[in-house]
Amino acid sequence: MRRLVVLLTAVLAALALSPALPAAAAPGTPVIFVHGYTGSASNWTTAMSVFRAGGYPSSQLFAYEYNSYGNNITNAQGLAGYVSQVRARTGAAQVDIVNHSMGGLVSQWYLKQLGGAQYVRHLASIAGANHGTTYASACLVFVTCQQMYPGSSYINTISSGDETPGSTRYATWYSPCDGIIIPYTSTTLSGATNNYVVCQTHLGYLTDTGILTQIRSFLAT
């Protein structure tokens, strides 16, 4: 009995001297944020803070910037190159994409027309102009807005057939209070988890920590 007591005492002492177990590993899939029309990387300041609070290191958070006034096919090709760069830099086989507004068109073209689905684990579309918006009539002088108008050849191409190709998991967030995506249901994608938001404005999503936390949780699935 005395020998057992001595042994237990030694084990407990060793445990007390052992270093604490490391914290849970940070999520392993890098996230690429894709802004909307006239947007920039600065749109994602709050989102990145929310993701860092959830365990993501800054080294796994990226923001793709593109020309809002050019051509979304070119922008999608740029996204393809950016994804390749992020994968090479991080060593990750896949990335997650979070887009907003016209960023939905850029992302959808990349996944569907450029074979990007194989490299994207999750796609989260926040108020994405996925089926266009009549609000684009205000800027039809630009090719990107022509492509964003409902019924354009660009919209018809990404909407035909399977809207959610590959093994990528898709989710959208849409609200009747959007004000920019008209109709607001344009954001939803067949085959995606479409999340109805009771009331949020188009730009309000970008600082809505509750919804951004939902998106972070979706990427963890």
Side-chain angles (χ1 to χ4, degrees):
M1 179 63 73
R2 182 177 179 180
R3 185 177 301 172
L4 180 59
V5 171
V6 172
L7 179 60
L8 287 173
T9 301
V11 171
L12 290 173
L15 288 174
L17 293 173
S18 298
L21 292 174
T29 305
V31 180
I32 297 176
F33 296 94
V34 183
H35 65 76
Y37 179 69
T38 72
S40 68
S42 64
N43 290 160
W44 302 109
T45 300
T46 301
M48 289 191 178
S49 295
V50 168
F51 275 63
R52 284 193 295 268
Y56 282 81
S58 296
S59 60
Q60 288 184 332
L61 302 175
F62 301 86
Y64 170 61
E65 293 192 310
Y66 61 87
N67 180 8
S68 289
Y69 312 105
N71 187 311
N72 279 323
I73 295 177
T74 302
N75 294 334
Q77 292 168 341
L79 177 59
Y82 193 76
V83 169
S84 295
Q85 292 173 25
V86 168
R87 291 175 57 237
R89 178 174 174 178
T90 62
Q94 293 182 303
V95 302
D96 289 331
I97 289 179
V98 178
N99 66 57
H100 177 248
S101 194
M102 194 171 75
L105 300 186
V106 176
S107 303
Q108 288 297 103
W109 193 277
Y110 164 58
L111 268 74
K112 188 167 183 177
Q113 300 304 117
L114 303 180
Q118 63 184 309
Y119 303 118
V120 181
R121 185 166 173 265
H122 295 84
L123 183 137
S125 186
I126 311 170
N130 299 323
H131 294 99
T133 172
T134 58
Y135 197 87
S137 62
C139 55
L140 290 177
V141 64
F142 300 114
V143 173
T144 47
C145 289
Q146 295 169 21
Q147 294 169 330
M148 190 163 45
Y149 197 81
S152 71
S153 60
Y154 189 102
I155 296 293
N156 289 339
T157 297
I158 61 174
S159 298
S160 64
D162 188 359
E163 293 189 339
T164 52
S167 60
T168 305
R169 297 193 64 178
Y170 297 77
T172 73
W173 280 259
Y174 67 111
S175 173
C177 297
D178 187 296
I180 299 296
I181 302 302
I182 305 171
Y184 71 95
T185 52
S186 172
T187 295
T188 64
L189 293 170
S190 177
T193 299
N194 297 300
N195 299 281
Y196 176 84
V197 179
V198 174
C199 192
Q200 184 52 275
T201 63
H202 193 66
L203 294 179
Y205 284 106
L206 298 174
T207 54
D208 188 325
T209 57
I211 289 176
L212 293 170
T213 298
Q214 289 178 26
I215 293 168
R216 189 187 70 200
S217 296
F218 165 67
L219 300 189
T221 60

